[in-house]
Amino acid sequence: MNFKSMTAVAGAAAFSVALLLWWSARPSTPEHVATDARTAITTPVQSVPATVSTGVTSPAPVVVQTTATKLDDLATRLNAAQDAEASRKILVELRAMLDALPREIASREVQSFLSLKKDAVTKLDVTVKAGGALGDASSLRVFLLDYLGQVDRLAAAALGKEILSIPTSPDEWAVSLRNVAWADDSPGNLAYLRAKAREMITHRAWQQNPSSGFLEAFDVIVHAKGVDLAPQLTELVRDKENRAVAHAAYLTLDRLTIADPAAALAPLAARPEMMDGREQTRANFFARADVRDAGQRKILESYLLDPQRSTQEMESFARIFPNANYMISNNLLTPMPTPDHAELTQRDHAALKVVKGWLADPRFTRLKPQIEEIHGRLQTFVQQASADPR
């Protein structure tokens, strides 16, 4: 399922001058008052008095800009940005500003700004980096929600559940779902995530005009082991008019099958109508079955022996079994593990042995051409692995 260094230095210098002038005009500081320069970032605007008791005129007033004011200024600049690169530079500047604060202060300032419901659009789509943090954000709020999730997971999860209580935007929901998942991996929270993911992917307006964040959020279903969402996912897979969402649903079903083949394939076997019109896609899923596992082998053989299976579907299965194709991507929550050479070799050996048994089993007579195709390909794989041990 993609989605200003010089300015920051100048701002920091101006801030240092302002702080020095402000403190030079004050009486001596009591010992119990904090003098950490970082506290000035979140204090009200201060200025040096125009005159003092000696009658000597002081310098012109110098203003210390608060974090909230800086966020307002950056929001204005984001709305005025003309292209993606300008938006990206402003967000880099914002991140540098927040990173300069202690985490607890950054968390407090971000939460305070988010509570005001202010926002600014960027010229960017949501993208995801390795580890689940965003590379680009589609709005200021999405950026700040992502940032909060990185510096204060408990606060981000609490705010995330507030956001998930009403439909705000799909990109906000995507980041909020990730934040809630990051903070709690209990069975109860996984059930909550499955329920919210179902609510999200069935939201008609979001389906019809899917944002990058909407598509990325399908990974939450994989993280939450959402095999119970198979009816909703297969409905989306069958939607030939919405290719982006259909592809996201397909990848989700595929990755659920990789993670837990028996659990993911069982509903597809029990309710074949869920894949009507997508029978060849269903063949790809069942080709994921690992025959070394007795439960998976039983489900697979039941699927193959169903007389309703068309020749076209069985030919699709024969071309790919055992399915060792993997889509590599950065995801909000889940890694994408791939089997190594030794694992693939062991699986091919086991599959070849089972396929030989199918050829000798009269129950599989109808499928003999397809099974012979699988047998020939697996023999080649096994021979190649024997000639090139790693």
Side-chain angles (χ1 to χ4, degrees):
M1 313 191 277
N2 45 12
F3 309 162
K4 295 195 186 197
S5 299
M6 292 183 64
T7 304
V9 171
F15 168 75
S16 300
V17 172
L19 188 62
L20 177 63
L21 292 172
W22 184 63
W23 279 110
S24 66
R26 290 177 57 84
S28 58
T29 305
E31 291 183 0
H32 66 276
V33 177
T35 59
D36 189 339
R38 295 170 298 186
T39 60
I41 297 177
T42 56
T43 57
V45 173
Q46 303 285 347
S47 62
V48 178
T51 59
V52 292
S53 58
T54 60
V56 178
T57 302
S58 69
V62 179
V63 176
V64 178
Q65 197 176 34
T66 65
T67 302
T69 303
K70 290 181 179 179
L71 285 168
D72 280 335
D73 289 346
L74 288 167
T76 301
R77 289 169 56 195
L78 275 174
N79 279 326
Q82 297 298 308
D83 53 40
E85 190 56 32
S87 295
R88 194 172 285 115
K89 287 181 179 178
I90 294 169
L91 293 181
V92 168
E93 181 181 342
L94 171 55
R95 180 175 294 277
M97 183 191 79
L98 293 172
D99 284 345
L101 301 172
R103 285 198 167 200
E104 64 275 13
I105 295 178
S107 172
R108 186 179 69 215
E109 294 295 335
V110 168
Q111 291 179 71
S112 177
F113 187 86
L114 288 169
S115 70
L116 302 175
K117 311 298 183 185
K118 297 178 181 179
D119 203 6
V121 296
T122 69
K123 300 299 187 295
L124 303 165
D125 290 324
V126 165
T127 61
V128 180
K129 300 188 296 185
L134 298 191
D136 287 324
S138 56
S139 74
L140 177 58
R141 280 181 58 84
V142 169
F143 174 92
L144 292 175
L145 288 169
D146 174 57
Y147 189 87
L148 185 62
Q150 296 174 60
V151 300
D152 192 341
R153 289 194 170 183
L154 291 179
L159 180 57
K161 287 191 173 183
E162 288 183 24
I163 291 170
L164 294 170
S165 66
I166 57 173
T168 53
S169 80
D171 291 1
E172 286 191 22
W173 267 51
V175 179
S176 295
L177 285 166
R178 186 210 64 187
N179 287 347
V180 171
W182 270 356
D184 183 0
D185 61 357
S186 67
N189 198 51
L190 292 179
Y192 170 83
L193 291 170
R194 288 194 295 272
K196 285 300 174 180
R198 177 185 285 109
E199 186 177 340
M200 181 172 186
I201 67 173
T202 57
H203 192 290
R204 291 296 180 185
W206 294 353
Q207 282 181 13
Q208 292 165 5
N209 187 25
S211 66
S212 295
F214 178 82
L215 299 174
E216 294 288 356
F218 278 75
D219 185 55
V220 176
I221 300 171
V222 182
H223 169 81
K225 303 176 175 62
V227 294
D228 56 323
L229 273 69
Q232 290 78 24
L233 291 169
T234 53
E235 180 182 352
L236 296 176
V237 167
R238 298 198 310 270
D239 187 352
K240 298 180 181 180
E241 302 301 319
N242 195 337
R243 296 180 64 182
V245 173
H247 186 62
Y250 160 76
L251 289 177
T252 303
L253 282 169
D254 189 48
R255 297 184 65 221
L256 285 170
T257 304
I258 293 170
D260 192 345
L265 294 174
L268 299 183
R271 296 182 55 189
E273 74 279 0
M274 289 198 300
M275 292 297 289
D276 282 349
R278 292 294 193 208
E279 290 82 5
Q280 291 171 281
T281 299
R282 177 172 57 201
N284 292 339
F285 297 149
F286 277 91
R288 292 283 189 197
D290 187 342
V291 295
R292 294 173 297 180
D293 178 82
Q296 293 181 51
R297 178 176 173 178
K298 181 178 180 180
I299 293 172
L300 176 59
E301 292 184 343
S302 174
Y303 161 77
L304 293 173
L305 293 171
D306 188 330
Q308 300 300 313
R309 301 287 172 246
S310 69
T311 300
Q312 292 79 9
E313 182 172 353
M314 291 297 91
E315 288 175 347
S316 293
F317 176 86
R319 284 193 296 268
I320 198 170
F321 175 80
N323 187 350
N325 296 325
Y326 294 85
M327 186 74 69
I328 306 301
S329 62
N330 293 328
N331 306 305
L332 283 174
L333 288 164
T334 61
M336 187 62 243
T338 56
D340 59 19
H341 177 74
E343 170 68 14
L344 290 175
T345 299
Q346 292 172 13
R347 183 174 176 181
D348 287 344
H349 273 281
L352 179 59
K353 182 178 179 180
V354 169
V355 168
K356 287 179 178 178
W358 289 346
L359 284 173
D361 189 334
R363 295 179 302 161
F364 291 88
T365 300
R366 182 180 69 90
L367 300 174
K368 186 176 180 180
Q370 290 82 26
I371 295 174
E372 286 179 338
E373 179 183 347
I374 298 170
H375 181 267
R377 188 177 65 256
L378 283 172
Q379 274 192 320
T380 300
F381 290 165
V382 169
Q383 290 168 0
Q384 290 174 340
S386 299
D388 181 27
R390 299 185 185 180

